[in-house]
Amino acid sequence: MWNEPYLETCCRSALHRLTLVGRHGRPPGLADQPCLRRLEAMGLAEERGDGRFAITDAGRERHAALVLKAE
């Protein structure tokens, strides 16, 4: 049964960008800031002490299932 909240295309893209930047994280103040906040509220991202956003383990799992899904 499907029970995960829907991610808008912009938020899926922000989630993917979090995987691309790796440990460096996404800096605050970029155009995808609202999506990063939504991802944070969902437990898929976290704001670090330096203000940058990083992907969480749950975010990696969701990215694999949603963005990298096997055909």
Side-chain angles (χ1 to χ4, degrees):
M1 181 175 170
W2 184 81
N3 61 359
E4 296 176 339
Y6 176 75
L7 280 181
E8 296 289 337
T9 302
C10 58
C11 292
R12 287 193 304 264
S13 296
L15 183 64
H16 184 64
R17 285 190 293 276
L18 283 174
T19 67
L20 295 176
V21 298
R23 62 187 177 114
H24 299 292
R26 295 279 294 162
L30 298 176
D32 63 356
Q33 181 87 20
C35 288
L36 293 171
R37 291 281 178 214
R38 282 186 213 109
L39 294 172
E40 182 181 33
M42 297 171 73
L44 304 177
E46 62 185 0
E47 186 176 6
R48 303 185 318 203
D50 62 1
R52 289 178 171 261
F53 287 85
I55 194 165
T56 62
D57 289 338
R60 282 186 196 86
E61 289 177 21
R62 185 74 183 268
H63 180 263
L66 188 66
V67 179
L68 300 179
K69 60 186 171 189
E71 299 285 327

Coordinates of all heavy atoms in Angstrom, one line a residue:
M1 N 0.8 -1.2 0.0 CA 0.0 0.0 0.0 C 0.9 1.2 0.0 O 1.8 1.4 0.8 CB -0.9 0.0 1.2 CG -1.8 1.2 1.3 SD -2.9 0.9 2.7 CE -3.6 2.5 2.8
W2 N 0.6 2.2 -0.8 CA 1.3 3.4 -0.9 C 0.9 4.4 0.2 O -0.2 4.7 0.4 CB 1.1 4.0 -2.3 CG 1.9 5.3 -2.5 CD1 3.2 5.3 -3.0 CD2 1.5 6.6 -2.4 NE1 3.6 6.6 -3.1 CE2 2.6 7.4 -2.7 CE3 0.3 7.2 -2.0 CZ2 2.5 8.8 -2.7 CZ3 0.3 8.6 -1.9 CH2 1.4 9.4 -2.3
N3 N 1.9 4.8 1.0 CA 1.6 5.7 2.1 C 2.6 6.8 2.3 O 2.6 7.4 3.3 CB 1.4 4.9 3.4 CG 2.7 4.2 3.8 OD1 3.7 4.3 3.1 ND2 2.7 3.5 4.9
E4 N 3.4 7.1 1.3 CA 4.4 8.2 1.3 C 3.8 9.4 0.8 O 3.1 9.4 -0.3 CB 5.6 7.8 0.6 CG 6.4 6.6 1.1 CD 7.6 6.2 0.3 OE1 7.6 6.6 -0.9 OE2 8.5 5.6 0.8
P5 N 4.0 10.6 1.4 CA 3.5 11.8 0.8 C 4.1 12.1 -0.5 O 5.3 11.8 -0.8 CB 3.9 12.9 1.8 CG 4.8 12.2 2.8 CD 4.8 10.8 2.6
Y6 N 3.3 12.7 -1.4 CA 3.8 13.0 -2.8 C 4.8 14.1 -2.7 O 4.7 15.1 -1.9 CB 2.6 13.5 -3.6 CG 2.9 13.9 -5.0 CD1 3.2 13.0 -5.9 CD2 3.0 15.3 -5.3 CE1 3.6 13.4 -7.2 CE2 3.3 15.7 -6.6 CZ 3.6 14.8 -7.5 OH 4.0 15.2 -8.8
L7 N 5.9 14.0 -3.5 CA 6.9 15.0 -3.6 C 6.7 15.7 -5.0 O 6.7 15.1 -6.0 CB 8.3 14.5 -3.6 CG 8.9 14.1 -2.3 CD1 10.3 13.6 -2.4 CD2 8.9 15.3 -1.3
E8 N 6.5 17.0 -5.0 CA 6.4 17.8 -6.2 C 7.7 17.6 -7.0 O 8.8 17.3 -6.4 CB 6.2 19.3 -5.9 CG 4.9 19.6 -5.2 CD 3.7 19.5 -6.1 OE1 3.8 19.5 -7.3 OE2 2.6 19.3 -5.5
T9 N 7.7 17.9 -8.3 CA 8.8 17.8 -9.1 C 10.0 18.6 -8.6 O 11.1 18.2 -8.6 CB 8.5 18.2 -10.6 OG1 7.4 17.3 -11.0 CG2 9.6 18.0 -11.5
C10 N 9.7 19.8 -8.2 CA 10.8 20.7 -7.7 C 11.4 20.1 -6.4 O 12.7 20.2 -6.3 CB 10.2 22.1 -7.4 SG 8.9 22.2 -6.2
C11 N 10.7 19.5 -5.6 CA 11.2 18.9 -4.4 C 12.0 17.6 -4.7 O 13.0 17.3 -4.1 CB 10.1 18.6 -3.3 SG 9.4 20.1 -2.7
R12 N 11.5 16.8 -5.7 CA 12.3 15.7 -6.1 C 13.6 16.1 -6.6 O 14.7 15.5 -6.4 CB 11.5 14.9 -7.2 CG 10.4 14.1 -6.6 CD 9.8 13.1 -7.6 NE 9.5 13.6 -8.9 CZ 8.2 14.0 -9.2 NH1 7.3 13.9 -8.3 NH2 8.0 14.5 -10.4
S13 N 13.6 17.2 -7.4 CA 14.9 17.7 -7.9 C 15.8 18.2 -6.8 O 17.0 18.0 -6.9 CB 14.6 18.9 -8.9 OG 13.9 18.4 -10.0
A14 N 15.3 18.9 -5.8 CA 16.1 19.3 -4.7 C 16.7 18.1 -3.9 O 17.8 18.1 -3.5 CB 15.2 20.2 -3.7
L15 N 15.9 17.1 -3.8 CA 16.4 15.8 -3.1 C 17.5 15.3 -3.9 O 18.5 14.9 -3.4 CB 15.2 14.8 -3.0 CG 15.5 13.5 -2.3 CD1 15.9 13.8 -0.8 CD2 14.3 12.6 -2.4
H16 N 17.4 15.2 -5.3 CA 18.5 14.7 -6.1 C 19.7 15.6 -6.0 O 20.8 15.1 -5.9 CB 18.0 14.7 -7.6 CG 19.0 14.1 -8.5 ND1 19.4 12.8 -8.4 CD2 19.7 14.6 -9.5 CE1 20.3 12.5 -9.3 NE2 20.5 13.6 -10.0
R17 N 19.5 16.9 -6.0 CA 20.7 17.8 -5.8 C 21.4 17.5 -4.5 O 22.6 17.6 -4.4 CB 20.3 19.3 -5.9 CG 20.0 19.7 -7.4 CD 19.8 21.2 -7.5 NE 18.6 21.7 -6.9 CZ 17.4 21.7 -7.4 NH1 17.2 21.2 -8.6 NH2 16.4 22.2 -6.8
L18 N 20.7 17.2 -3.4 CA 21.3 16.9 -2.2 C 22.2 15.7 -2.3 O 23.3 15.6 -1.7 CB 20.2 16.6 -1.1 CG 19.6 17.8 -0.5 CD1 18.5 17.4 0.5 CD2 20.6 18.7 0.2
T19 N 21.8 14.7 -3.1 CA 22.7 13.5 -3.3 C 23.9 13.9 -4.1 O 25.0 13.4 -3.9 CB 21.9 12.4 -4.0 OG1 21.6 12.7 -5.3 CG2 20.7 12.0 -3.2
L20 N 23.8 14.8 -5.0 CA 24.9 15.2 -5.9 C 26.0 16.0 -5.1 O 27.2 15.8 -5.4 CB 24.4 16.0 -7.1 CG 23.5 15.3 -8.0 CD1 23.0 16.3 -9.1 CD2 24.2 14.1 -8.7
V21 N 25.6 16.8 -4.2 CA 26.6 17.6 -3.4 C 27.2 16.8 -2.3 O 28.3 17.3 -1.8 CB 26.0 18.9 -2.9 CG1 25.5 19.8 -4.0 CG2 24.9 18.7 -1.9
G22 N 26.7 15.7 -1.9 CA 27.3 14.9 -0.9 C 27.5 15.6 0.4 O 26.7 16.3 0.9
R23 N 28.7 15.4 1.0 CA 29.0 15.9 2.3 C 29.1 17.4 2.3 O 29.1 18.0 3.4 CB 30.2 15.2 2.9 CG 31.4 15.5 2.1 CD 32.6 14.7 2.6 NE 33.8 14.9 1.8 CZ 34.9 15.5 2.2 NH1 35.0 15.9 3.4 NH2 35.9 15.7 1.4
H24 N 29.2 18.0 1.2 CA 29.4 19.5 1.2 C 28.1 20.2 1.5 O 28.1 21.3 2.1 CB 29.8 20.0 -0.2 CG 31.2 19.4 -0.6 ND1 32.3 19.8 0.1 CD2 31.5 18.5 -1.5 CE1 33.3 19.1 -0.5 NE2 32.9 18.4 -1.4
G25 N 26.9 19.6 1.2 CA 25.6 20.1 1.5 C 25.2 21.3 0.6 O 26.0 21.8 -0.1
R26 N 24.0 21.6 0.7 CA 23.4 22.7 -0.1 C 23.4 24.0 0.7 O 22.9 24.0 1.8 CB 22.0 22.5 -0.6 CG 21.8 21.3 -1.5 CD 22.1 21.6 -2.9 NE 21.1 22.6 -3.5 CZ 21.4 23.3 -4.6 NH1 22.5 23.1 -5.2 NH2 20.5 24.1 -5.1
P27 N 24.0 25.1 0.2 CA 24.0 26.3 1.0 C 22.6 26.9 1.1 O 21.7 26.7 0.3 CB 24.9 27.2 0.2 CG 24.9 26.7 -1.2 CD 24.6 25.2 -1.1
P28 N 22.4 27.7 2.2 CA 21.1 28.4 2.3 C 20.9 29.5 1.3 O 21.9 30.0 0.8 CB 21.1 28.9 3.8 CG 22.6 29.1 4.0 CD 23.3 28.0 3.3
G29 N 19.7 29.9 1.1 CA 19.5 31.1 0.3 C 19.3 30.9 -1.2 O 19.2 31.8 -2.0
L30 N 19.3 29.6 -1.6 CA 19.2 29.3 -3.1 C 17.7 29.2 -3.4 O 16.8 29.2 -2.5 CB 19.9 28.0 -3.4 CG 21.4 28.0 -3.2 CD1 22.0 26.6 -3.4 CD2 22.1 29.1 -4.0
A31 N 17.4 29.1 -4.7 CA 16.0 29.1 -5.1 C 15.3 27.9 -4.6 O 14.0 27.9 -4.5 CB 16.0 29.1 -6.7
D32 N 16.0 26.8 -4.3 CA 15.3 25.6 -3.8 C 15.1 25.5 -2.3 O 14.7 24.5 -1.7 CB 16.0 24.3 -4.3 CG 17.4 24.1 -3.8 OD1 17.9 25.0 -3.1 OD2 18.0 23.1 -4.1
Q33 N 15.3 26.7 -1.6 CA 15.2 26.7 -0.2 C 13.8 26.3 0.3 O 13.8 25.5 1.3 CB 15.5 28.2 0.3 CG 15.4 28.4 1.8 CD 16.7 28.1 2.5 OE1 17.7 28.1 1.9 NE2 16.6 27.8 3.8
P34 N 12.7 26.7 -0.3 CA 11.4 26.2 0.2 C 11.3 24.6 0.1 O 10.8 24.0 1.0 CB 10.4 26.8 -0.7 CG 11.1 28.1 -1.2 CD 12.5 27.7 -1.3
C35 N 11.9 24.1 -0.9 CA 11.8 22.6 -1.1 C 12.7 21.9 0.0 O 12.4 20.9 0.5 CB 12.3 22.2 -2.5 SG 11.1 22.6 -3.7
L36 N 13.9 22.5 0.2 CA 14.7 22.0 1.3 C 14.1 22.0 2.6 O 14.2 21.1 3.4 CB 16.1 22.7 1.3 CG 16.9 22.6 0.1 CD1 18.1 23.6 0.1 CD2 17.4 21.2 -0.1
R37 N 13.3 23.1 2.9 CA 12.5 23.1 4.2 C 11.5 22.1 4.2 O 11.2 21.4 5.2 CB 11.9 24.5 4.3 CG 12.9 25.6 4.6 CD 13.4 25.6 6.0 NE 14.4 26.6 6.2 CZ 15.4 26.5 7.0 NH1 15.5 25.4 7.8 NH2 16.3 27.4 7.2
R38 N 10.8 21.8 3.1 CA 9.8 20.8 3.0 C 10.4 19.4 3.2 O 9.9 18.6 4.0 CB 9.0 20.8 1.7 CG 8.0 21.8 1.6 CD 7.2 21.7 0.3 NE 6.8 23.1 -0.2 CZ 7.3 23.7 -1.2 NH1 8.2 23.1 -2.0 NH2 7.0 24.9 -1.5
L39 N 11.5 19.2 2.6 CA 12.2 17.9 2.8 C 12.7 17.7 4.2 O 12.6 16.6 4.8 CB 13.5 17.8 1.8 CG 13.1 17.8 0.3 CD1 14.4 17.9 -0.5 CD2 12.4 16.5 0.0
E40 N 13.1 18.8 4.8 CA 13.5 18.8 6.2 C 12.3 18.4 7.1 O 12.4 17.5 8.0 CB 14.1 20.1 6.7 CG 14.6 20.1 8.1 CD 15.1 21.5 8.5 OE1 14.6 22.5 8.0 OE2 16.0 21.5 9.3
A41 N 11.2 19.0 6.9 CA 10.0 18.7 7.6 C 9.5 17.2 7.5 O 8.9 16.6 8.4 CB 8.8 19.6 7.2
M42 N 9.9 16.6 6.3 CA 9.5 15.2 6.1 C 10.6 14.3 6.6 O 10.5 13.0 6.5 CB 9.3 15.0 4.6 CG 8.2 15.8 4.0 SD 8.1 15.7 2.2 CE 7.6 14.1 2.0
G43 N 11.7 14.8 7.1 CA 12.8 14.0 7.6 C 13.7 13.5 6.5 O 14.5 12.6 6.8
L44 N 13.6 14.0 5.3 CA 14.5 13.6 4.2 C 15.7 14.4 4.1 O 16.7 14.0 3.4 CB 13.7 13.7 2.9 CG 12.4 12.9 2.9 CD1 11.6 13.1 1.6 CD2 12.6 11.4 3.2
A45 N 15.8 15.6 4.8 CA 17.0 16.4 4.8 C 17.1 17.0 6.2 O 16.1 17.0 7.0 CB 16.8 17.6 3.7
E46 N 18.3 17.6 6.4 CA 18.5 18.2 7.7 C 19.4 19.5 7.5 O 20.2 19.5 6.6 CB 19.1 17.3 8.7 CG 20.5 16.8 8.3 CD 21.0 15.8 9.3 OE1 20.4 15.5 10.3 OE2 22.1 15.3 9.0
E47 N 19.1 20.5 8.3 CA 19.9 21.7 8.2 C 21.0 21.5 9.2 O 20.8 21.2 10.4 CB 19.1 22.9 8.6 CG 19.9 24.2 8.4 CD 19.1 25.5 8.7 OE1 18.0 25.4 9.1 OE2 19.7 26.6 8.4
R48 N 22.3 21.6 8.8 CA 23.4 21.4 9.6 C 23.7 22.7 10.4 O 23.1 23.7 10.1 CB 24.6 21.0 8.8 CG 24.4 19.7 8.0 CD 25.7 19.3 7.2 NE 26.4 20.4 6.6 CZ 27.3 20.2 5.6 NH1 27.4 19.0 5.1 NH2 27.9 21.2 5.1
G49 N 24.7 22.6 11.3 CA 25.0 23.7 12.1 C 25.6 24.9 11.3 O 25.5 26.0 11.8
D50 N 26.2 24.6 10.2 CA 26.8 25.6 9.3 C 25.7 26.2 8.4 O 26.1 27.0 7.5 CB 28.0 25.1 8.5 CG 27.6 24.0 7.6 OD1 26.4 23.6 7.5 OD2 28.5 23.5 6.9
G51 N 24.4 25.8 8.5 CA 23.4 26.4 7.7 C 23.1 25.7 6.4 O 22.2 25.9 5.7
R52 N 24.0 24.7 6.1 CA 23.8 24.0 4.8 C 22.9 22.8 5.1 O 22.7 22.3 6.2 CB 25.2 23.5 4.3 CG 26.0 24.6 3.8 CD 27.4 24.0 3.3 NE 28.1 25.1 2.6 CZ 28.2 25.2 1.3 NH1 27.6 24.3 0.5 NH2 28.9 26.1 0.8
F53 N 22.3 22.3 4.0 CA 21.3 21.2 4.1 C 22.0 20.0 3.6 O 22.7 20.0 2.6 CB 20.1 21.5 3.2 CG 19.2 22.5 3.9 CD1 19.4 23.9 3.6 CD2 18.1 22.1 4.7 CE1 18.6 24.8 4.2 CE2 17.3 23.1 5.2 CZ 17.5 24.4 5.0
A54 N 21.8 18.9 4.3 CA 22.3 17.6 3.9 C 21.2 16.5 3.9 O 20.2 16.7 4.5 CB 23.4 17.1 4.9
I55 N 21.4 15.5 3.1 CA 20.4 14.5 3.0 C 20.5 13.5 4.2 O 21.6 13.3 4.7 CB 20.5 13.7 1.6 CG1 19.3 12.8 1.3 CG2 21.8 12.9 1.6 CD1 19.3 12.3 -0.1
T56 N 19.4 13.0 4.6 CA 19.4 12.0 5.7 C 19.3 10.6 5.2 O 19.2 10.4 3.9 CB 18.1 12.2 6.6 OG1 17.0 12.0 5.8 CG2 18.1 13.6 7.2
D57 N 19.5 9.6 6.0 CA 19.4 8.2 5.6 C 18.0 8.0 5.0 O 17.9 7.3 3.9 CB 19.6 7.3 6.7 CG 21.1 7.2 7.2 OD1 21.9 7.6 6.4 OD2 21.3 6.8 8.3
A58 N 16.9 8.5 5.6 CA 15.6 8.4 5.0 C 15.5 9.1 3.6 O 14.8 8.6 2.7 CB 14.6 9.0 6.0
G59 N 16.2 10.2 3.5 CA 16.2 10.9 2.2 C 16.9 10.0 1.1 O 16.5 10.0 0.0
R60 N 18.0 9.3 1.5 CA 18.7 8.5 0.6 C 17.8 7.3 0.1 O 17.8 7.0 -1.1 CB 20.0 7.9 1.2 CG 21.1 8.9 1.2 CD 22.4 8.3 1.7 NE 23.3 9.3 2.0 CZ 23.4 9.9 3.2 NH1 22.6 9.6 4.1 NH2 24.3 10.9 3.4
E61 N 17.0 6.8 1.1 CA 16.1 5.7 0.7 C 15.0 6.2 -0.2 O 14.7 5.5 -1.2 CB 15.5 5.1 2.0 CG 16.5 4.3 2.8 CD 15.9 3.8 4.1 OE1 14.6 3.7 4.2 OE2 16.7 3.5 5.0
R62 N 14.5 7.3 0.1 CA 13.4 7.9 -0.7 C 13.9 8.2 -2.1 O 13.2 8.0 -3.1 CB 12.8 9.1 0.0 CG 11.6 9.7 -0.7 CD 10.4 8.8 -0.5 NE 9.2 9.4 -1.3 CZ 8.3 10.2 -0.8 NH1 8.4 10.6 0.5 NH2 7.3 10.6 -1.5
H63 N 15.1 8.8 -2.2 CA 15.7 9.1 -3.5 C 15.9 7.8 -4.3 O 15.6 7.8 -5.5 CB 17.1 9.8 -3.2 CG 17.8 10.1 -4.5 ND1 18.8 9.3 -5.0 CD2 17.7 11.2 -5.3 CE1 19.2 9.9 -6.1 NE2 18.6 11.0 -6.3
A64 N 16.4 6.8 -3.7 CA 16.6 5.5 -4.4 C 15.2 5.0 -4.9 O 15.2 4.5 -6.1 CB 17.2 4.5 -3.5
A65 N 14.2 5.1 -4.1 CA 12.9 4.5 -4.5 C 12.2 5.4 -5.5 O 11.5 4.9 -6.4 CB 12.0 4.4 -3.3
L66 N 12.3 6.7 -5.4 CA 11.6 7.7 -6.2 C 12.3 8.1 -7.5 O 11.8 8.2 -8.5 CB 11.2 8.9 -5.4 CG 10.2 9.9 -6.0 CD1 8.9 9.2 -6.2 CD2 10.1 11.1 -5.0
V67 N 13.6 8.5 -7.3 CA 14.3 9.1 -8.4 C 15.1 8.0 -9.2 O 15.2 8.0 -10.4 CB 15.3 10.2 -7.9 CG1 16.1 10.8 -9.0 CG2 14.5 11.3 -7.1
L68 N 15.7 7.1 -8.5 CA 16.6 6.1 -9.1 C 15.8 4.8 -9.3 O 16.5 3.8 -9.6 CB 17.8 5.8 -8.2 CG 18.7 7.0 -8.0 CD1 19.9 6.5 -7.1 CD2 19.2 7.6 -9.3
K69 N 14.5 4.8 -9.2 CA 13.7 3.5 -9.2 C 14.1 2.7 -10.5 O 14.3 3.2 -11.6 CB 12.3 3.8 -9.2 CG 11.8 4.7 -10.4 CD 10.3 5.0 -10.3 CE 10.0 6.1 -11.3 NZ 8.7 6.6 -11.1
A70 N 14.2 1.4 -10.2 CA 14.6 0.5 -11.3 C 13.4 0.3 -12.3 O 12.3 0.3 -11.8 CB 15.0 -0.8 -10.7
E71 N 13.7 0.3 -13.5 CA 12.7 0.1 -14.5 C 12.4 -1.3 -14.7 O 13.2 -2.2 -14.6 CB 13.1 0.7 -15.8 CG 13.4 2.2 -15.8 CD 12.2 3.0 -15.7 OE1 11.2 2.7 -16.3 OE2 12.2 4.1 -15.1

